[in-house]
Amino acid sequence: MVTGIEGHLAAGRHARAFDLIVPEYKDRVFRLACSILKDRAAAEDATQETLVRVWKALPGFDGRAQLGTWIYAITRNTCLMELRKRRPTVSFDDPDSHEAHVAAASIATGPASDPERDNLLRLVESLPENQQQAVRLFYLEDRSYEAVAEALGMPLGTVKNLLFRARKKLMALARPAEVEAA
Amino acid sequence: MTPTNHDSAYSDLGPCEDREFELMEYADGALPAASMPALRAHLDGCARCRAFLREWTAVDASLAAAVTPVALSAGFEDRLRERIEEVSRTVSKRAALEQEERHYAQLMQALRRGLSWRTALNAVAAGSVCGGVLTAMSSLVPDLLASLHVQLPALATAELAVGAVAVIGGFVATQLLRRPVAASLLG
């Protein structure tokens, strides 16, 4: 008997498949939600909402897409709905978000007062939204291009370009501050 | 000139234009193995690219330190299970209600289709019953009819028989349809 997630799904054992999906995907879903929502508490709510939606939709999953791709798509939609509740006209490419600046600090758990880190995070916040998400997720996913590409639903080349442009810009923005400090 | 100033001078110049992307991949440990020897040879001879790589690595390390790992809070899976049980109960109730509503709609549709036929048949049955009763009465209680000022033509025995058959037939039809005549006529 095939005991993996796909095996259970193929056999119609959706409850059993879901029992395996939760431990495998909950942290990845959470990291993606963190990179989009920039707020830990909201990301955890979105993670729960995503997994409930997965549970509801699992009987209809036809296997045309990869399971991970499907779950990440649900995650992105759930996060977008949450963003739209905060700002009705928001999209993933919205570069300007006051809530982002306010909530940014809750995403990391570093030292209480670290000006250099805070400054760098503020610089990240100044990037276009898609570059911000790519940068955050890249470091949350331990520098894996493939993990970021799968989570954001983008080709690998696109992710590499986003990360390249984002970090090159950050390098240029950070340089004047370093010169002043020196 | 201190090494730091020397490096920053080359940093200001930037790397060789066609090497930037490769340097990023190299720093991220994602450069294809086939490209490695050529890039290393280039780095050995290019101070600009070496400076760029050092700066890039420093920014990368700062970002990695700033974006610290996140974890779900304790008890997340328990809360998730509770939520799913709650949703499951709601879904079951809703599904049962929807099934009842569909069944009711199907029943009403069938009733409307059948009602027109049954109404017609019941009307015929009712007419037969009334006709039969009047026929019987005209023969059996002529005085009563006379007193009620109801006048009917004289009827022969054959008509009496027809009237009796109509009464019995109407009664049987009504019973077969299992519906009160009055209720079906009223629709």
Side-chain angles (χ1 to χ4, degrees):
Chain A
M1 186 177 75
V2 181
T3 56
I5 294 173
E6 282 77 12
H8 287 302
L9 287 174
R13 292 187 292 267
H14 302 115
R16 188 71 196 103
F18 186 74
D19 287 343
L20 298 178
I21 284 172
V22 171
E24 172 134 357
Y25 284 96
K26 66 182 168 101
D27 293 321
R28 291 191 248 175
V29 167
F30 181 56
R31 288 193 289 267
L32 175 56
C34 283
S35 73
I36 296 172
L37 296 175
K38 295 174 278 195
D39 180 285
R40 211 186 155 289
E44 188 156 318
D45 289 343
T47 302
Q48 188 185 87
E49 182 62 31
T50 296
L51 290 170
V52 169
R53 290 174 73 184
V54 165
W55 173 79
K56 282 185 189 173
L58 212 49
F61 176 68
D62 56 12
R64 275 185 293 178
Q66 293 286 324
L67 182 66
T69 306
W70 181 69
I71 291 174
Y72 285 132
I74 295 174
T75 309
R76 292 193 299 271
N77 286 337
T78 304
C79 291
L80 189 61
M81 279 163 50
E82 172 58 29
L83 289 174
R84 282 180 178 155
K85 270 192 235 171
R86 300 179 192 170
R87 286 183 66 199
T89 56
V90 79
S91 74
F92 278 140
D93 296 320
D94 191 345
D96 183 29
S97 166
H98 172 69
E99 288 83 0
H101 289 284
V102 169
S106 72
I107 217 49
T109 56
S113 169
D114 187 338
E116 198 175 312
R117 184 181 132 262
D118 292 344
N119 184 54
L120 187 58
L121 286 175
R122 264 193 293 276
L123 292 178
V124 171
E125 295 298 324
S126 70
L127 297 171
E129 191 64 35
N130 56 354
Q131 289 182 14
Q132 286 186 48
Q133 285 171 18
V135 166
R136 269 188 231 105
L137 198 54
F138 183 65
Y139 291 100
L140 287 173
E141 291 289 352
D142 203 22
R143 292 187 179 89
S144 166
Y145 291 141
E146 289 77 12
V148 175
E150 190 187 4
L152 294 181
M154 289 179 185
L156 196 64
T158 306
V159 167
K160 284 186 179 182
N161 276 321
L162 277 176
L163 288 169
F164 174 71
R165 289 202 306 269
R167 289 185 289 174
K168 193 176 168 189
K169 192 168 178 185
L170 288 170
M171 210 162 76
L173 289 171
R175 204 178 282 155
E178 287 169 6
V179 168
E180 280 173 22
Chain B
M1 216 185 218
T2 64
T4 305
N5 288 345
H6 184 72
D7 289 345
S8 67
Y10 279 107
S11 292
D12 291 343
L13 288 172
C16 299
E17 204 172 307
D18 58 345
R19 296 288 184 180
E20 277 185 314
F21 200 86
E22 259 190 325
L23 289 169
M24 177 196 76
E25 288 184 300
Y26 179 74
D28 290 338
L31 186 71
S35 305
M36 200 72 81
L39 183 66
R40 281 190 175 144
H42 176 80
L43 281 170
D44 283 342
C46 182
R48 282 170 55 181
C49 285
R50 285 200 304 273
F52 177 85
L53 190 60
R54 268 194 293 274
E55 194 177 354
W56 183 277
T57 305
V59 168
D60 177 69
S62 298
L63 283 168
V67 182
T68 49
V70 290
L72 289 161
S73 59
F76 173 81
E77 285 199 42
D78 292 334
R79 290 192 296 278
L80 175 64
R81 295 285 167 206
E82 284 169 15
R83 173 92 192 276
I84 285 179
E85 278 170 25
E86 185 188 320
V87 169
S88 179
R89 281 193 294 270
T90 308
V91 165
S92 296
K93 280 184 196 168
R94 198 179 301 140
L97 183 62
E98 283 171 4
Q99 192 178 22
E100 282 305 313
E101 284 175 353
R102 272 197 301 274
H103 180 67
Y104 177 75
Q106 284 166 3
L107 199 61
M108 290 309 295
Q109 214 170 26
L111 281 173
R112 280 191 208 101
R113 273 200 301 272
L115 199 60
S116 54
W117 284 104
R118 288 174 182 170
T119 304
L121 284 172
N122 279 340
V124 167
S128 302
V129 167
C130 291
V133 166
L134 283 173
T135 304
M137 282 172 71
S138 72
S139 297
L140 297 173
V141 287
D143 293 333
L144 175 63
L145 288 177
S147 71
L148 291 174
H149 300 289
V150 176
Q151 296 199 358
L152 291 175
L155 297 174
T157 308
E159 287 160 331
L160 269 173
V162 167
V165 167
V167 169
I168 294 165
F171 176 77
V172 168
T174 307
Q175 289 305 303
L176 285 175
L177 291 170
R178 292 180 186 175
R179 182 173 300 280
V181 172
S184 68
L185 285 175
L186 292 170

